[in-house]
Amino acid sequence: MSRPSETLPLIHELVDGSIGKEDFARLQEILLRDPAARRDYYALLCTDQMLVDTYEMPDYLAAHAKVVTVPTVRRRKIGKVLLALAAVLVAGFFTAMVIHANTPRVTMTASADSHFLIDGKGATSNFWKKGEMLDVHNGMVVVRLNPSAEASIDGEASLRLTSNDGDLELRRGRTFFRAAADSPGFEVKVAGATVRHVGTDFGIRALDDGSCDVHVLGGSVEIKRPGTDTLVLSAGESASWRDGGPTRRAAAERLAFRQAPPVERVIFEDDFSEPPDTVLAGKQPDTGKPWNVVEQQGIMTAGGGRLDTSGGFRHLGAVFTDLPPGDGRQVWVASFTTTPPAVMADKKTRRSGIERITLKDANGKRLCSVVALARENHCWRLRDDVAGKESKLTRLSALDTHDLTLRYDPAAGKITLHAGTNAQGETLAELDTEASAMPSTLELWNDYGGDFALSRLTVRHVRYP
């Protein structure tokens, strides 16, 4: 801290009334953060006030008349000024303490494939505040309830934070809690009951019909339901009930909950930062295998921060790096930034133009795409290439600057298109999909006068344990 070289002189200047405005602000900041400085301040303040009181007593006035250099009236004024300043500082200190006590301390991190809302809107920070409703639609959100406790929320789920100390109300979905034995207490309201941890690992699953089950994998939890005695569940035990119904006990299901965030891996990335006019065929991206040029009209080049398909039809392949073997649910998230292509003069006259970005499997089969047609003003739509289904037209054009993210989740049977650099952005389109294969390439395809340009391309793989 900054004491004693800076703090004590500032306190003395405050006491004798000579402190300046900037020094007063600096001292206030020091007092808010340094307990030792506050003790020095209160000690000097009390000493000064004791002197003021002494000077106000007649017996002491005569005894000290020869040594007092400041008139009593002035001394009293200084004392009153100091008391006023002290009141301001103390009020400021306690106000800061109150603000700190109400500052949200519950933080969130999300997997790359996640999409969640706070009170029906996209989250603007990583804080979750008291009273807010968290709706997790896809992926996993890990919430740090306190320094030694966290909750892993697996979409779809809806929860409300009832206090900044980590108390929750779980309305539906699955959440796994991990808390150390000495972790500050927190409670979970669910299906008319209160679940309190006693240093444990446990999961809660709440259904839309008002029923729920609690599974304890380590330590113990206490469950309090109205009109019943407190139920203690130990490791390996579970309990289930419906709001108002009886409680049933059984063995815990260890595999019923995802207990850790998924493993994320960038499998392709390119920002086209090479010198302009770099030949694309065989070019090594930042991450992934060399570019594959299947068809081209003229020599396709990239660089200078752009890949631009202007000048002819293109059939290009961004080939992913090989994935390590493993089981579990897998999700692919491809994000890219479009910019206006160099050739724009013919875009209104050539009505057969097409732009397409497609996930393909190792056999070259198309799985899902975002497609733009000239006759639809080059606006993107989402397509399930296996079933041949398409979404409604979006408002975003392939010819303009936009960040877009394509999310492919074959295990859930969903494909989604989002505005922004990740799946957390606004959902522009969503389709059920019959595709189930693993993609290995992102195909960029244009023809009949359709063109687009990219300034960035990133593909992430998310594997759940």
Side-chain angles (χ1 to χ4, degrees):
M1 308 308 288
S2 53
R3 57 180 304 274
S5 60
E6 179 184 14
T7 306
L8 288 178
L10 290 176
I11 294 175
H12 282 291
E13 289 178 9
L14 175 64
V15 171
D16 66 25
S18 64
I19 193 168
K21 183 178 180 181
E22 293 183 358
D23 287 340
F24 181 85
R26 189 162 73 255
L27 176 59
Q28 189 175 26
E29 180 182 355
I30 293 170
L31 292 174
L32 288 174
R33 71 172 187 263
D34 189 356
R38 290 196 294 273
R39 286 194 295 271
D40 290 341
Y41 165 70
Y42 294 137
L44 286 172
L45 185 66
C46 291
T47 301
D48 184 79
Q49 183 58 39
M50 193 164 54
L51 289 172
V52 172
D53 294 338
T54 299
Y55 279 115
E56 290 179 345
M57 297 175 61
D59 293 343
Y60 283 92
L61 278 174
H64 293 277
K66 294 183 179 180
V67 296
V68 174
T69 59
V70 181
T72 303
V73 174
R74 182 182 173 193
R75 189 62 178 165
R76 288 176 179 172
K77 288 182 179 179
I78 292 175
K80 291 179 180 178
V81 171
L82 290 174
L83 286 176
L85 289 172
V88 171
L89 278 173
V90 172
F93 170 71
F94 282 109
T95 299
M97 292 302 102
V98 170
I99 292 174
H100 177 73
N102 288 282
T103 299
R105 295 180 295 277
V106 178
T107 59
M108 304 178 296
T109 56
S111 60
D113 64 319
S114 68
H115 181 74
F116 64 93
L117 302 176
I118 297 288
D119 285 346
K121 301 177 181 179
T124 57
S125 74
N126 64 338
F127 288 110
W128 188 15
K129 301 175 184 177
K130 176 183 176 182
E132 291 181 334
M133 179 66 68
L134 170 64
D135 290 299
V136 181
H137 295 290
N138 295 308
M140 176 176 282
V141 175
V142 178
V143 175
R144 176 65 63 177
L145 300 173
N146 59 57
S148 53
E150 66 179 22
S152 298
I153 304 168
D154 193 12
E156 294 188 358
S158 293
L159 307 91
R160 186 170 68 91
L161 186 65
T162 57
S163 81
N164 286 327
D165 294 322
D167 296 334
L168 304 170
E169 178 188 358
L170 176 59
R171 297 192 175 181
R172 68 184 180 97
R174 295 182 299 176
T175 301
F176 185 80
F177 299 88
R178 177 168 282 119
D182 59 350
S183 172
F186 64 88
E187 296 180 342
V188 182
K189 302 286 188 182
V190 58
T194 300
V195 180
R196 187 173 70 87
H197 88 91
V198 191
T200 184
D201 297 342
F202 66 102
I204 304 179
R205 178 169 47 195
L207 303 180
D208 291 331
D209 62 2
S211 63
C212 82
D213 47 300
V214 179
H215 300 255
V216 181
L217 306 186
S220 61
V221 300
E222 296 177 353
I223 302 174
K224 180 63 178 177
R225 300 186 63 200
T228 66
D229 294 333
T230 299
L231 172 64
V232 178
L233 290 182
S234 299
E237 296 181 324
S238 74
S240 61
W241 68 91
R242 188 169 181 173
D243 196 358
T247 302
R248 296 179 175 83
R249 302 182 67 157
E253 299 177 22
R254 181 168 294 274
L255 300 180
F257 302 89
R258 290 196 173 94
Q259 302 172 29
V263 177
E264 301 178 4
R265 180 186 178 95
V266 175
I267 55 177
F268 190 91
E269 186 167 37
D270 204 337
D271 62 3
F272 313 108
S273 58
E274 295 81 9
D277 299 323
T278 298
V279 175
L280 186 68
K283 183 184 87 68
Q284 182 65 45
D286 300 315
T287 303
K289 295 182 179 181
W291 279 90
N292 181 27
V293 176
V294 180
E295 291 182 292
Q296 60 181 335
Q297 185 176 351
I299 302 300
M300 180 65 200
T301 62
R306 281 169 59 86
L307 179 152
D308 192 336
T309 64
S310 296
F313 61 84
R314 317 288 185 188
H315 179 182
L316 315 173
V319 186
F320 306 156
T321 188
D322 293 330
L323 292 170
D327 298 324
R329 175 184 172 189
Q330 300 179 71
V331 184
W332 286 260
V333 181
S335 64
F336 50 92
T337 301
T338 63
T339 62
V343 177
M344 292 285 287
D346 63 344
K347 294 301 176 282
K348 291 184 178 180
T349 58
R350 302 188 67 175
R351 306 305 293 169
S352 298
I354 182 172
E355 300 92 12
R356 187 177 68 220
I357 299 177
T358 303
L359 283 173
K360 300 176 68 174
D361 68 12
N363 297 319
K365 181 180 179 181
R366 293 174 182 165
L367 304 175
C368 61
S369 304
V370 285
V371 181
L373 303 177
R375 65 175 182 269
E376 295 176 333
N377 296 319
H378 298 272
C379 289
W380 295 109
R381 68 166 75 240
L382 188 60
R383 177 179 173 82
D384 173 16
D385 290 299
V386 174
K389 297 182 297 184
E390 292 185 339
S391 72
K392 294 181 179 179
L393 201 63
T394 73
R395 65 182 186 277
L396 302 186
S397 169
L399 306 182
D400 296 332
T401 299
H402 294 294
D403 292 315
L404 290 170
T405 297
L406 171 65
R407 180 182 181 274
Y408 170 62
D409 185 353
K414 290 284 186 182
I415 52 174
T416 54
L417 180 64
H418 303 269
T421 58
N422 54 50
Q424 177 56 14
E426 176 192 358
T427 302
L428 301 172
E430 180 175 358
L431 286 174
D432 293 333
T433 182
E434 298 179 12
S436 60
M438 294 176 53
S440 63
T441 302
L442 188 72
E443 177 188 71
L444 311 180
W445 193 92
N446 71 296
D447 208 345
Y448 309 113
D451 294 306
F452 60 91
L454 301 181
S455 62
R456 177 192 61 88
L457 174 61
T458 303
V459 182
R460 290 179 172 85
H461 175 258
V462 182
R463 187 194 300 273
Y464 287 84

